[in-house]
Amino acid sequence: WTSSLQPDGTATDTAQVAELTGLNPRVGNWPAGLRLIVRRTRPSARHAKNLTALEKHTGWRYAIVATNIRRIHGVPGSHQPQWLDVLHRSHAGVEDRVRTNKAMGLRNLPSKAWTVNQGWVLAANIAADLAAWTRLLGLHDQPDLADAEPDTLRYRLLHLPAKLATHARRKTLSIPDTWPWAEAFQLCWQRLGLLPLTT
């Protein structure tokens, strides 16, 4: 076992990594060049009920990755198990975006017609992009909203308990002072309003 690495390359003592490729007796039946990288971490309370007998006995939680990456040309150290572990864990961000897009409507295609579903997928992706840019540009310093899921954004910001009134050709949005996210909404609105228009 060797210390796992953080994405910035620094070692951590909370996780360890090893390669199991040479220890797998079935590797002869697998595709050529396949490698097994295992990562172990101390289990948290939320993992306790899903631990295997081995994990309960050893006190470690194991995650195994099968990869055909031997090394990446021009990237020093890319053949190391620690590097491949970081590469695999950084891919979790992609999986998060897929999950977010599904929550924005991608999981429910409305029609049997291909062209209608094309428009739906485009609209769902635009909605996911707008939510991501809103969090990045307007909510980046709000701890409970910077990485909020779509349902959380809907509940806290998009389903705004406010009244829009028009008086003397001016529109005024009245937000209740008791609403917990009023300040976050106003700050986000101001930041987005200051962005230069695209040409």
Side-chain angles (χ1 to χ4, degrees), residues 91-143:
H91 195 266
V94 175
E95 302 299 331
D96 283 346
R97 297 291 70 80
V98 171
R99 182 173 44 77
T100 299
N101 281 23
K102 286 181 178 179
M104 297 300 281
L106 199 57
R107 73 166 53 97
N108 301 321
L109 296 178
S111 176
K112 293 182 179 178
W114 174 257
T115 52
V116 173
N117 286 337
Q118 277 183 310
W120 182 269
V121 169
L122 180 61
N125 284 330
I126 290 172
D129 285 349
L130 287 174
W133 281 110
T134 298
R135 288 193 313 269
L136 180 66
L137 298 174
L139 302 167
H140 55 84
D141 57 355
Q142 303 297 311

Side-chain angles (χ1 to χ4, degrees), residues 51-124:
L51 296 177
T52 65
L54 173 68
E55 290 173 330
K56 290 176 183 175
H57 176 71
T58 61
W60 293 95
R61 182 172 171 262
Y62 299 94
I64 299 177
V65 176
T67 180
N68 62 355
I69 298 175
R70 305 298 288 175
R71 70 174 59 243
I72 296 178
H73 180 71
V75 180
S78 61
H79 65 288
Q80 299 289 342
Q82 297 93 334
W83 194 92
L84 294 172
D85 173 60
V86 171
L87 180 67
H88 173 73
R89 284 186 290 120
S90 65
H91 195 266
V94 175
E95 302 299 331
D96 283 346
R97 297 291 70 80
V98 171
R99 182 173 44 77
T100 299
N101 281 23
K102 286 181 178 179
M104 297 300 281
L106 199 57
R107 73 166 53 97
N108 301 321
L109 296 178
S111 176
K112 293 182 179 178
W114 174 257
T115 52
V116 173
N117 286 337
Q118 277 183 310
W120 182 269
V121 169
L122 180 61

